[in-house]
Amino acid sequence: MIAFTSQSLRQQGIRAVRMDVVAREMNMSKRTLYKVYESKDNLVNACLDAYAARIGNLFQLMKCNHPEPLSLLGEVSQAFVQMLYKADCAFWSDIAGSYRHIYEAIHNLWCEELERNLLSCKAECLVIPGLDVAKFTASFMTVLRQARIMECPQAMLHDSAYFMLRGILTAEGLQMFKAG
């Protein structure tokens, strides 16, 4: 039920998903669905909790596969772009407006991971020393998210992320980024 509802939310937006449709698609009564979740908001929050767990697992997997901080930063930034395209613009518009708590939760998950990776790179002198990690991360995510909402092609966002990251690297970081 969570998987179906999550997919529906991403494809149609939160406001368009109705409990009676979820119940019908899950071959259950609307009453049974409400007994389990009590409200649409509770079902949406259960989907958000499942998403947070999946993203946490994804971050752990990336750390295992990319032990070098710069490689990991590149992977996390590309995964962020891919995540933006797993949902239609209706979803992003809904959470930016009516479902701000969901926007904040998703934003914080990715922001914390990107900041953690940037700080690791900074500790190894791979990014410019004066970089304000929090401001860069906020700008990075905002530019990419807004480009997604404006329906820019995914390849454009991948390139934009790549060039934004290149712009903050030291000479040593740039050499390693090119080699990786």
Side-chain angles (χ1 to χ4, degrees):
M1 181 174 332
I2 296 297
F4 171 79
T5 304
S6 294
Q7 180 180 356
S8 297
L9 294 171
R10 287 189 311 268
Q11 291 176 344
Q12 302 167 26
I14 296 172
R15 290 180 294 164
V17 173
R18 297 179 20 180
M19 293 291 274
D20 60 326
V21 174
V22 172
R24 185 174 55 245
E25 291 296 322
M26 295 288 96
N27 293 319
M28 65 173 53
S29 70
K30 186 174 166 183
R31 183 179 196 173
T32 301
L33 182 60
Y34 274 103
K35 278 185 182 180
V36 174
Y37 290 103
E38 296 180 6
S39 70
K40 179 179 173 180
D41 284 343
N42 287 348
L43 178 56
V44 169
N45 288 331
C47 292
L48 179 60
D49 290 343
Y51 172 79
R54 282 193 314 276
I55 293 304
N57 290 336
L58 175 65
F59 292 155
Q60 289 300 320
L61 184 61
M62 282 192 242
K63 286 175 191 170
C64 290
N65 292 335
H66 300 277
E68 299 82 25
L70 199 53
S71 174
L72 181 57
L73 177 62
E75 278 299 307
V76 171
S77 68
Q78 292 303 308
F80 176 71
V81 171
Q82 290 169 357
M83 179 272 305
L84 291 172
Y85 283 86
K86 289 184 178 176
D88 286 347
C89 290
F91 173 81
W92 296 116
S93 295
D94 281 355
I95 68 168
S98 304
Y99 292 87
R100 197 74 183 159
H101 70 286
I102 294 173
Y103 169 85
E104 294 295 331
I106 292 171
H107 173 82
N108 290 341
L109 284 169
W110 287 94
C111 186
E112 289 169 10
E113 189 64 25
L114 285 163
E115 284 182 1
R116 191 173 14 262
N117 287 290
L118 279 165
L119 289 170
S120 293
C121 290
K122 194 172 184 180
E124 293 195 20
C125 300
L126 300 173
V127 298
I128 53 178
L131 179 71
D132 184 325
V133 170
K135 285 182 181 176
F136 175 81
T137 303
S139 298
F140 179 84
M141 292 176 66
T142 299
V143 165
L144 295 173
R145 188 175 34 259
Q146 290 302 320
R148 170 60 181 118
I149 290 170
M150 297 305 295
E151 299 188 27
C152 292
Q154 187 171 357
M156 182 185 292
L157 268 70
H158 280 291
D159 291 345
S160 297
Y162 172 80
F163 287 114
M164 283 189 276
L165 291 177
R166 277 184 53 129
I168 62 167
L169 298 178
T170 61
E172 179 184 353
L174 193 52
Q175 286 302 105
M176 291 176 72
F177 204 57
K178 286 180 182 177

